[in-house]
Amino acid sequence: MTNLEFRHTEAARLSPEEREALLVDPGFGNHFTDHMVSIVWTKDQGWHDAEVIPYGPIPMDPASSVLHYGQEIFEGLKAYRRPDGSIVTFRPEANAQRLNDSARRLALPEIPEELFVRAIHELVSIDADWVPTREDQSLYLRPFMIADESFLGVRSAERARFLVIASPAGPYFSGGVKPVSIWLSQDLARAGHGGTGAAKCGGNYAASLLPQQEAAENGCQQVLFTDTQTEDTIDELGGMNLFLVRTDGTLITPALNGNILSGITRRSLIELAKDRGLRVEERAVTVSEWREGVADGTISEAFACGTAAVITPIGSLKSSDFTIDFGDAAPGELTMSLREELTGIQFGLREDTHGWLDVIVPAKEA
Ligand SMILES: *Cc1c(COP(=O)(O)O)cnc(C)c1O
């Protein structure tokens, strides 16, 4: 299994000129590289047929289980180009472990961690020219797994496919980091006790889209979900974890309670904050505590975090009943300094003291 051979089809889809044109302003999730990875799993054979093939449509039987019962999980990580020309990814083994946690919950097969990491290496190596050289740009990698057995019976599928696709990504905030406003979803939830909230699966996102629309209708960019029972205990945003910052520098973030996703950005920021000697409290956090803390001046900043945007400062939290507003248009100081530190490590501008980076393409000899 570990020595599974990848078959390669090298031909590039786009010419170098077409690629360079797309890399000027790629946006997010719009364009895809020349290749993708595909590995098939069957109950009888395990993982086999590992391939690097031209990016394009995949064969899909209309009876494929994923289309009916939603057996799908995914990951998100980025490849960064450092000033010396080398290409790295950030903690890919953490993504592999989390994919397997999600796989267990969705009754999909686990994939060996080293096969996951090799798949990332295969794709980034062959599509290395797609890793942007412009400031703040990166190559977003989307590993995912679908159940593709043709069978309408309700049970876990006996055939699955693991794929990795890649998409060049521009800076998340064009024109500088700006605080966003968050809508508190009161009637609609993305996850509940015993559900799939801690798994990174498409179903959770499907459940978050209507509340996300409600947020947009109320002038907000993101949604905040609370525990469905208390409607006060904070879980997370649709696709990002949340932190509050106290005036004394303490960071507060909801504990991993089974409803929320264990973000790798969240975990990394906790370690960076602890390195600085800051206190980090992982525990139940409520909207009431946030409101009162802002009112009495003990909570000074709030931010959301995830791979795509790294850190997004939060300017206000709105609901149909109230608004919590930091009253200041500028992002918080600690928020921005943690953002700078983490992106500095990822882009090779700061020392990687934790050994988080995985070098895929080494620096070219001068
Ligand atoms: C992916 C994701 C996050 C962020 O995780 P990172 O590993 O930091 O990118 C947070 N919440 C949800 C629901 C997610 O799907």
Side-chain angles (χ1 to χ4, degrees):
M1 173 100 56
T2 318
N3 47 24
L4 194 62
E5 286 293 325
F6 280 77
R7 284 196 305 276
H8 294 86
T9 310
E10 302 273 345
R13 224 166 31 106
L14 300 184
S15 69
E17 293 73 28
E18 287 170 316
R19 181 184 66 232
E20 287 313 314
L22 293 181
L23 288 175
V24 173
D25 183 16
F28 183 82
N30 299 316
H31 307 292
F32 299 91
T33 63
D34 289 323
H35 297 88
M36 62 186 190
V37 165
S38 165
I39 314 178
V40 174
W41 176 89
T42 56
K43 196 178 173 194
D44 295 338
Q45 277 181 275
W47 291 105
H48 61 280
D49 271 348
E51 293 182 289
V52 179
I53 47 180
Y55 179 90
I58 52 175
M60 173 77 67
D61 191 287
S64 287
S65 14
V66 63
L67 298 177
H68 303 273
Y69 309 125
Q71 248 188 314
E72 187 270 353
I73 55 176
F74 67 94
E75 275 302 322
L77 69 163
K78 286 174 171 174
Y80 307 88
R81 193 180 289 277
R82 295 191 289 191
D84 63 7
S86 62
I87 299 173
V88 298
T89 56
F90 184 75
R91 310 185 79 174
E93 68 296 334
N95 293 93
Q97 286 159 13
R98 188 171 65 188
L99 184 82
N100 284 335
D101 292 340
S102 302
R104 279 191 294 279
R105 181 62 185 84
L106 274 287
L108 281 162
E110 292 179 46
I111 184 164
E113 201 177 303
E114 65 277 9
L115 183 55
F116 176 101
V117 173
R118 266 177 61 211
I120 301 286
H121 276 242
E122 291 280 348
L123 185 59
V124 174
S125 304
I126 198 168
D127 285 340
D129 288 340
W130 282 89
V131 182
T133 50
R134 291 178 176 78
E135 202 184 335
D136 282 344
Q137 297 192 359
S138 54
L139 184 66
Y140 183 79
L141 302 165
R142 168 55 60 86
F144 62 107
M145 196 193 298
I146 53 174
D148 68 347
E149 184 183 356
S150 315
F151 177 59
L152 291 182
V154 181
R155 58 152 168 73
S156 58
E158 296 181 353
R159 188 190 146 90
R161 189 193 280 259
F162 171 77
L163 296 127
V164 189
I165 56 175
S167 174
Y172 193 85
F173 295 95
S174 42
V177 178
K178 282 189 275 308
V180 298
S181 32
I182 306 283
W183 177 251
L184 179 63
S185 181
Q186 286 172 308
D187 299 323
L188 302 173
R190 69 178 273 285
H193 291 288
T196 54
K200 206 168 175 76
C201 66
N204 292 340
Y205 278 73
S208 75
L209 297 178
L210 180 60
Q212 177 68 44
Q213 264 177 25
E214 195 180 279
E217 283 158 15
N218 287 280
C220 295
Q221 289 94 340
Q222 293 283 339
V223 197
L224 179 68
F225 293 100
T226 55
D227 178 284
T228 47
Q229 281 162 357
T230 64
E231 290 190 1
D232 193 33
T233 307
I234 294 171
D235 278 344
E236 61 169 321
L237 277 64
M240 286 189 270
N241 296 115
L242 181 109
F243 281 83
L244 300 178
V245 183
R246 292 173 65 91
T247 324
D248 66 4
T250 303
L251 290 166
I252 310 168
T253 191
L256 302 175
N257 60 4
N259 282 352
I260 71 178
L261 210 273
S262 173
I264 295 159
T265 317
R266 173 188 182 277
R267 194 183 311 170
S268 307
L269 290 172
I270 290 174
E271 290 182 53
L272 294 179
K274 286 184 176 166
D275 290 349
R276 294 185 186 192
L278 298 174
R279 245 181 91 89
V280 182
E281 297 176 5
E282 291 182 70
R283 55 168 172 83
V285 188
T286 61
V287 174
S288 316
E289 177 180 358
W290 185 348
R291 275 179 90 169
E292 286 152 23
V294 171
D296 68 18
T298 51
I299 291 177
S300 47
E301 305 176 29
F303 64 83
C305 67
T307 296
V310 193
I311 285 186
T312 305
I314 296 174
S316 59
L317 174 68
K318 294 181 190 169
S319 78
S320 39
D321 314 319
F322 62 84
T323 296
I324 306 174
D325 207 320
F326 286 102
D328 179 348
E333 213 173 295
L334 185 60
T335 300
M336 290 309 282
S337 109
L338 284 171
R339 185 177 206 281
E340 218 242 49
E341 183 173 2
L342 184 54
T343 55
I345 294 169
Q346 292 167 331
F347 282 98
L349 306 172
R350 279 173 179 256
E351 202 190 336
D352 171 28
T353 55
H354 291 270
W356 283 337
L357 300 182
D358 181 28
V359 179
I360 296 189
V361 177
K364 288 195 188 69
E365 299 292 325

